[in-house]
Amino acid sequence: MQEKPELDFPRPLTTVDVVIFAIRSDALQVLLVQRPKAESEPFPGAWALPGGFVDIAGDRDLEACAVRRLKAKTGVVSPYLEQLGSWGSATRDPRGWSATHAYFALLPEHTAGGALAGDAQWFAVEGEKVRPKLAFDHAEILQAAVLRLRNKVEYTSLPAYLMPQEFTLPELQRTYEIVLDRPLEKSAFRTRMLAADLIEPVAKMRKGPNRPAQLYRLKKAKAPVFFTRTFNPPG
Amino acid sequence: MQEKPELDFPRPLTTVDVVIFAIRSDALQVLLVQRPKAESEPFPGAWALPGGFVDIAGDRDLEACAVRRLKAKTGVVSPYLEQLGSWGSATRDPRGWSATHAYFALLPEHTAGGALAGDAQWFAVEGEKVRPKLAFDHAEILQAAVLRLRNKVEYTSLPAYLMPQEFTLPELQRTYEIVLDRPLEKSAFRTRMLAADLIEPVAKMRKGPNRPAQLYRLKKAKAPVFFTRTFNPPG
DNA sequence: CGAATAGTGTCTATTAGACATTATGAG
DNA sequence: CTCATAATGTCTAATAGACACTATTCG
C-alpha cells in the first residue's frame, strides 16, 4: 500500500484533430495537411487531418487545442466548431496507444482561401471520402464527419455557417444541396428558412443577368436552428 | 535535430466514464459509484460516474474500456452503448491535465438490479441533475447525457433498449414519457411505433385487472430507428 | 420581345395532436 | 352491470413535395 495513488503508469498519446469543411468551387471540400516526409515519422508524406498532440502547458482545454490547430492552418479564429467524437485504440498510431479528440468546423467560403498554411490543401469530398489515402484512421474520422454533417443539415441551419456574410436564398439552397448531394424543393425550402427567424433581409439585391435576388444575412449571434422535421419524408 | 521524433513530453491522463441509465421505480435513474475515502484521492467519498483510467495493456480501444467498466459495475455485457463526447482540460482533475471519453448506456430494467458492485448505487435523475454533488466535472457530463438522451428520444426508438424482452405498447409509451418528462398522445404514439417495423407481437397478452394488452418484442438485431419528425410540433 | 432566374400559389400526402368511441377482461 | 385500461377512429393543423404560375431583370 502506498500513500499516494500511483499515476506514473503509461498513458495514451492524446491528440486533437479537426475536420475543416468549406464550400469551394461549388463543392464540399475538406482541408488536409501533408505529413512530414522524414521516415522516422508515421505515414511520411501522407495527407492527414490537421491536428496534433495536446500541449498540456499551452492548451487550456480540448476545444482551445482545436481552435489553435484551426487557426494555425487557416488563420480563421471563430468559425462554427463542434465536437465530433473520439477515436482511441492500441493500433491506430504506430507510436503506441493513442486517442484523438475530433472536431469539425464550418468555414464561410470567403475565409477559406486566406491564410492557408504551406502544407495545407483543400480536397473535394467525394461520397464520404477524399481522393488521397489518409494517414492513421483519418478516413474513418472524415467519414463520420461527413455523415454527421449531412445528417444535421437535414434538420438544422448548419449550412448558414458556410455562407458569406450576405447571401441570397437560392445561394443558401444551393449550399444545402451541395452538402446533401440532392436537389431540394425551392418552395418548401424558402418557407422553412423564412419561418425559422434565422436570417433577415438587407436592403440590397444580388444583381445578375436576370431577375435580382434579395440579399439576407444571419441574425446576430444565431445559434443553429433545429427543425422538427427532416427535409424528406421517409423513403 | 534528432532522428526520432520526441514522444516523452508530458501526456494528459486518459480516462473513460460511462453514464448508465435505467428505468427503475417508474423513474429515470443513473448508476453512480462512491469514490474511495482516502484523503490522497481526489474527491474522497464523493459520488461519481463509473469509469477510470484507460489500461493501455488491457484495453484494445476506448469502447472496450467502456464495456469493461460497465461490466465491472453491473455485470451487464452488451447493452445499448453510445459515445457521448469527451471532456479534457488542465483543471478538471486535481492530479493534472486530463481528458475523459464519456459513453452512455441504456440498461433494460430487469438487468439493472443484478450484479451491482458494492460501491455502486442507483440515483433518480431530477431535471438533468442528481441529488449528490458529483466529483470532477461529472455533473456536466451527466447533464449532457440526459439532454442527449431526451433529444434523441424525440425522434428515435432508443427507449426500446430500456425495456424488458417483452413489453406492451402502453409500457413502452410510459418509458418514453418518463424520459421526456411529458405525456404523449396514445394514438400518434402507437401509429409511429407500429409503422416503424421495430417491434413484433408475440402470441401472449399482459393480463391485468382490466383489458389485457398485446405483448411485443424488439425485432432481432434492431439498430435504433430514426423518425423524420419529433413528437411535438414547434412550440 | 425571349431567356433565365427569383419568388409565389395551389394541391396533395403524411403525420402529429386532440379527443371521442369501441373493446375486453376482472370483479 | 361497472370500472379501468387497451385499442381504434375521426377531425384538424402543420408542413414537405410536386409543380404551375407570375415577376423582374438583361440583352
Side-chain angles (χ1 to χ4, degrees):
Chain A
M1 279 310 245
Q2 55 200 0
E3 182 62 23
K4 283 249 169 195
E6 192 60 79
L7 287 175
D8 60 354
F9 50 79
R11 305 176 181 189
L13 293 162
T14 302
T15 59
V16 167
D17 292 304
V18 190
V19 185
I20 305 171
F21 290 114
I23 303 291
R24 291 164 49 88
S25 310
D26 209 41
L28 181 65
Q29 303 202 354
V30 62
L31 191 69
L32 301 176
V33 298
Q34 194 165 23
R35 293 194 52 79
K37 294 200 168 101
E39 285 300 326
S40 58
E41 290 277 346
F43 302 96
W47 291 94
L49 297 171
F53 296 113
V54 167
D55 171 10
I56 74 170
D59 295 320
R60 181 191 317 275
D61 56 30
L62 291 172
E63 185 169 312
C65 182
V67 167
R68 172 168 68 86
R69 300 296 183 175
L70 180 70
K71 186 177 174 212
K73 294 303 173 191
T74 66
V76 173
V77 176
S78 62
Y80 179 81
L81 188 65
E82 171 179 325
Q83 201 183 65
L84 177 63
S86 56
W87 279 257
S89 77
T91 54
R92 61 179 294 278
D93 188 320
R95 293 167 296 192
W97 220 108
S98 86
T100 193
H101 303 263
Y103 285 77
F104 84 87
L106 304 179
L107 261 52
E109 180 155 3
H110 64 289
T111 66
L116 257 209
D119 58 351
Q121 196 174 304
W122 290 98
F123 289 84
V125 174
E126 302 169 24
E128 295 98 44
K129 294 188 172 64
V130 89
R131 269 302 155 73
K133 188 166 167 51
L134 298 186
F136 307 104
D137 51 4
H138 287 188
E140 187 186 333
I141 297 174
L142 172 63
Q143 173 171 333
V146 174
L147 292 177
R148 169 100 134 240
L149 175 62
R150 287 226 184 97
N151 187 253
K152 290 192 89 162
V153 165
E154 292 279 359
Y155 61 92
T156 71
S157 61
L158 282 201
Y161 300 105
L162 292 164
M163 305 304 292
Q165 277 218 310
E166 297 183 348
F167 53 87
T168 68
L169 276 176
E171 286 165 357
L172 181 59
Q173 181 175 347
R174 180 69 193 132
T175 296
Y176 270 82
E177 292 173 339
I178 288 169
V179 176
L180 292 175
D181 195 27
R182 113 177 160 247
L184 295 176
E185 279 305 310
K186 181 171 49 169
S187 174
F189 181 83
R190 298 176 67 93
T191 305
R192 169 184 284 207
M193 289 304 145
L194 293 173
D197 190 43
L198 171 74
I199 58 180
E200 58 191 1
V202 297
K204 277 186 280 181
M205 306 293 276
R206 168 89 74 227
K207 308 266 186 184
N210 35 44
R211 178 171 175 177
Q214 179 64 53
L215 279 167
Y216 293 86
R217 67 173 170 220
L218 264 190
K219 288 200 175 178
K220 293 202 199 316
K222 249 326 198 186
V225 171
F226 287 73
F227 304 101
T228 57
R229 287 211 205 170
T230 61
F231 267 113
N232 260 1
Chain B
M1 280 304 249
Q2 53 199 4
E3 181 64 20
K4 283 249 171 195
E6 194 58 81
L7 286 175
D8 59 355
F9 49 78
R11 305 176 181 188
L13 294 162
T14 302
T15 59
V16 167
D17 291 305
V18 191
V19 186
I20 305 171
F21 290 114
I23 304 290
R24 291 163 49 87
S25 310
D26 209 42
L28 181 65
Q29 303 202 354
V30 61
L31 191 70
L32 300 177
V33 298
Q34 194 166 22
R35 295 194 51 79
K37 293 197 168 105
E39 285 300 326
S40 58
E41 289 276 345
F43 302 96
W47 291 94
L49 297 170
F53 296 114
V54 168
D55 170 11
I56 74 171
D59 295 320
R60 181 193 318 275
D61 55 30
L62 291 173
E63 185 169 312
C65 182
V67 167
R68 172 168 69 87
R69 300 294 182 176
L70 181 69
K71 188 179 173 207
K73 295 303 172 191
T74 66
V76 173
V77 176
S78 60
Y80 179 80
L81 188 65
E82 171 179 326
Q83 200 183 65
L84 177 63
S86 56
W87 279 258
S89 78
T91 54
R92 60 180 295 277
D93 188 319
R95 294 167 296 192
W97 220 110
S98 86
T100 193
H101 303 264
Y103 286 77
F104 82 87
L106 305 179
L107 261 51
E109 181 156 2
H110 65 289
T111 66
L116 258 208
D119 58 350
Q121 195 174 304
W122 290 98
F123 289 84
V125 175
E126 301 169 25
E128 294 98 43
K129 294 186 171 64
V130 90
R131 269 303 154 74
K133 189 165 166 53
L134 297 187
F136 306 105
D137 51 3
H138 287 189
E140 188 185 334
I141 297 174
L142 172 62
Q143 173 170 333
V146 173
L147 292 177
R148 170 98 134 243
L149 176 62
R150 287 226 183 96
N151 187 252
K152 290 192 87 162
V153 164
E154 293 278 1
Y155 61 93
T156 70
S157 62
L158 282 202
Y161 299 106
L162 292 164
M163 306 303 292
Q165 276 218 309
E166 296 182 350
F167 52 88
T168 68
L169 276 176
E171 287 164 358
L172 181 60
Q173 181 175 348
R174 179 70 193 132
T175 297
Y176 270 82
E177 291 173 339
I178 289 170
V179 176
L180 292 175
D181 195 26
R182 117 177 156 246
L184 295 177
E185 281 304 310
K186 180 168 52 168
S187 174
F189 181 82
R190 297 175 68 92
T191 306
R192 171 183 283 206
M193 289 304 146
L194 292 174
D197 191 43
L198 171 74
I199 56 180
E200 57 190 1
V202 297
K204 278 186 282 184
M205 305 293 275
R206 168 88 73 228
K207 307 265 188 185
N210 33 45
R211 179 171 173 178
Q214 179 64 53
L215 279 166
Y216 293 85
R217 66 174 170 220
L218 264 189
K219 286 200 177 179
K220 292 198 201 321
K222 250 328 200 187
V225 171
F226 288 73
F227 304 100
T228 56
R229 287 210 204 169
T230 60
F231 268 114
N232 259 1

